Amino acid sequence: LNEREILSVVPVAPGIPVLALHPTERLVAFAERNRIKLADFEGKSIDQFDLDATSALSICFSSDGSEILIGCTEQTLVRRRI
């Protein structure tokens, strides 16, 4: 438990980002306010998209990794295929 391994360095805005690890690939999805970004473990940007007039509070991948689910302010849930 005292060991630490840095998997990746991903450029994010100040603050603690909301993030999720892909269930089968070396990818991470993270949310910065109203934008979702998808990157590989080397930090290379794969995709990004904006949320319409809302901010992300939580994020997860579907069990097969084909979709991202985002819990947002305004009590909404956004689903996006990747």
Side-chain angles (χ1 to χ4, degrees), residues 8-38:
S8 178
V9 177
V10 180
V12 295
I16 299 172
V18 176
L19 62 90
L21 298 174
H22 193 280
T24 60
E25 298 180 36
R26 295 179 57 85
L27 300 175
V28 61
F30 55 97
E32 295 176 333
R33 297 186 190 191
N34 67 337
R35 175 169 288 158
I36 305 298
K37 295 181 179 180
L38 186 64

Side-chain angles (χ1 to χ4, degrees), residues 18-20 28-39 45-52 54-61 68-72 78 80 82:
V18 176
L19 62 90
V28 61
F30 55 97
E32 295 176 333
R33 297 186 190 191
N34 67 337
R35 175 169 288 158
I36 305 298
K37 295 181 179 180
L38 186 64
S45 179
I46 304 298
D47 194 10
Q48 67 179 10
F49 61 91
D50 292 331
L51 299 169
D52 295 326
T54 189
S55 294
L57 298 174
S58 60
I59 186 170
C60 70
F61 284 95
I68 298 175
L69 304 171
I70 306 120
C72 301
V78 175
R80 172 140 176 151
I82 59 167

